[in-house]
Amino acid sequence: MKNIAETYHVPVLLKDSIDGLNVFPGGVYVDVTFGGGGHSEEILNRLNGKGHLYSFDQDADAERNIRWNDSCFTFIRSNFRYLKNWMRYYSVEKIDGLLADLGVSSHHFDDESRGFSFRYDAPLDMRMNQRAGKTAADILNEYEEKTLADIFYLYGELKTARRIASIIVKARKERPIVTTNDFLTIVEPLFRKEHEKKDMAKLFQALRIEVNHEMDALKEMLIGATELIRPGGRLSVITYHSLEDRIVKNVMKAGNVEGTVKQDFFGRIESTFVPVNNKVITPSREEQENNPRSRSAKLRIAERK
């Protein structure tokens, strides 16, 4: 029988992402997306009982995947947007590397009770941290039409965002939207059959991003990482869609989330990071076949100047 970590989340680009951190025993590292613990375990193996690893995850289910008792390891049950606060709490001034696997764990899509997937009828929750915040149902029933349209367009890149929002607002006047099936009944007629699954995935992605404030959290975490990583330290990030990849690329290129390149008096570019891989690293064909979730993954690695 598989343990929970094996079924919770299969680590993507495991060797490439950890190699990119250039881990050395005695260093201080952060894994801001613990999930099934695969990446964290590999970092710990390379620390050889020295240094320290701090791992973040806001989902209570993730903590159950800790399968070791190691004095070099600290688990932090929190959103990674509070990276700087927690490092200050643990009196950590600088770190030698940070890893982020930004994708949603397989566990969340496979858990029929959480509402992350349109494959199951479940309450529309979608919260990574089920202790706080609005659910997807709250958003669909409470947000104004224009706000909903903006979410679907910006986070789902759906050209029919306004029409979708209009139909939702009309439908919720008849009865509240509570479950995934309630939602599907409303929006399915808007999608052409040949694009239905792809567009539905974009719609659910947009809702999930809004529920968990993913873009804001990512920006805050990356700003914190930029300040925390010592010169020569590494930032290794796996992204899964263009929105988060653009933010990561901007930070690695310009040291800020907007991608604004600054120049000194002589016109020389003042960069914060140096790319380790000029071209994004993608999973091998074998990994993509064994782990379909990895197909959209992109790995970027940069070194702090």
Side-chain angles (χ1 to χ4, degrees):
M1 181 178 177
K2 290 185 178 181
N3 62 41
I4 186 171
E6 291 174 324
T7 57
Y8 187 101
H9 178 71
V10 179
V12 173
L13 289 163
L14 178 61
K15 185 177 186 303
D16 290 299
S17 61
I18 307 303
D19 283 352
L21 279 180
N22 196 28
V23 176
F24 66 90
V28 178
Y29 296 88
V30 178
D31 176 359
V32 294
T33 48
F34 182 76
H39 289 106
S40 283
E41 186 171 28
E42 182 60 26
I43 294 171
L44 282 171
N45 288 340
R46 300 190 188 197
L47 285 176
N48 293 325
K50 301 174 183 177
H52 208 88
L53 170 65
Y54 297 89
S55 292
F56 285 71
D57 207 298
Q58 61 184 324
D59 195 328
D61 290 348
E63 195 166 0
R64 301 173 198 163
N65 295 325
I66 301 172
R67 49 197 178 275
W68 54 78
N69 182 15
D70 194 323
S71 59
C72 296
F73 176 74
T74 300
F75 181 83
I76 301 170
R77 187 178 164 193
S78 174
N79 190 307
F80 60 42
R81 73 190 307 166
Y82 304 116
L83 169 68
K84 277 183 64 179
N85 293 347
W86 280 105
M87 291 300 96
R88 190 180 304 118
Y89 175 80
Y90 284 108
S91 301
V92 176
E93 294 183 3
K94 292 292 179 181
I95 62 176
D96 296 287
L98 183 143
L99 171 81
D101 177 2
L102 299 176
V104 179
S105 293
S106 311
H107 165 76
H108 292 119
F109 288 123
D110 294 336
D111 187 338
E112 299 181 19
S113 67
R114 302 282 292 271
F116 283 94
S117 173
F118 52 85
R119 291 179 294 160
Y120 312 110
D121 186 27
L124 274 167
D125 191 324
M126 294 194 188
R127 290 174 300 169
M128 297 289 188
N129 178 2
Q130 292 187 293
R131 298 175 294 177
K134 288 183 180 292
T135 66
D138 293 332
I139 287 168
L140 289 173
N141 289 295
E142 296 173 11
Y143 277 25
E144 294 181 358
E145 184 176 324
K146 183 184 181 303
T147 306
L148 285 174
D150 289 345
I151 290 167
F152 299 147
Y153 183 76
L154 292 172
Y155 298 156
E157 299 177 297
L158 288 159
K159 295 178 181 178
T160 55
R162 289 183 181 177
R163 189 179 173 206
I164 294 169
S166 176
I167 294 294
I168 289 170
V169 170
K170 288 177 183 176
R172 74 190 188 190
K173 290 177 182 177
E174 300 295 324
R175 62 175 183 144
I177 305 166
V178 179
T179 68
T180 51
N181 272 4
D182 292 342
F183 191 35
L184 291 177
T185 301
I186 295 165
V187 299
E188 268 183 334
L190 302 176
F191 298 131
R192 291 160 56 184
K193 285 295 179 184
E194 60 267 31
H195 299 142
E196 186 177 79
K197 286 187 178 179
K198 187 175 182 180
D199 288 342
M200 201 69 73
K202 289 181 177 180
L203 188 58
F204 271 62
Q205 171 186 288
L207 263 180
R208 189 201 75 230
I209 289 173
E210 175 64 18
V211 167
N212 296 289
H213 306 290
E214 291 179 27
M215 295 300 104
D216 290 336
L218 175 59
K219 291 173 183 177
E220 289 180 36
M221 182 274 288
L222 288 172
I223 291 169
T226 300
E227 296 175 12
L228 284 164
I229 297 174
R230 71 176 76 254
R234 298 283 184 89
L235 176 62
S236 180
V237 185
I238 304 169
T239 65
Y240 294 84
H241 57 76
S242 59
L243 298 172
E244 59 192 17
D245 187 59
R246 191 178 303 120
I247 294 170
V248 172
K249 185 178 179 180
N250 285 346
V251 168
M252 290 186 175
K253 173 187 175 184
N256 57 72
V257 297
E258 296 82 15
T260 304
V261 176
K262 297 178 181 178
Q263 297 179 327
D264 64 14
F265 179 78
F266 300 101
R268 293 173 298 200
I269 294 174
E270 297 180 341
S271 58
T272 308
F273 290 95
V274 178
V276 172
N277 57 320
N278 290 315
K279 187 177 179 182
V280 294
I281 298 170
T282 57
S284 66
R285 182 176 297 179
E286 181 182 5
E287 180 173 2
Q288 291 182 45
E289 289 174 354
N290 293 332
N291 184 8
R293 178 185 165 277
S294 72
R295 289 171 186 166
S296 59
K298 295 179 179 178
L299 171 63
R300 295 184 185 273
I301 306 162
E303 184 170 293
R304 186 74 162 84
K305 290 181 72 175

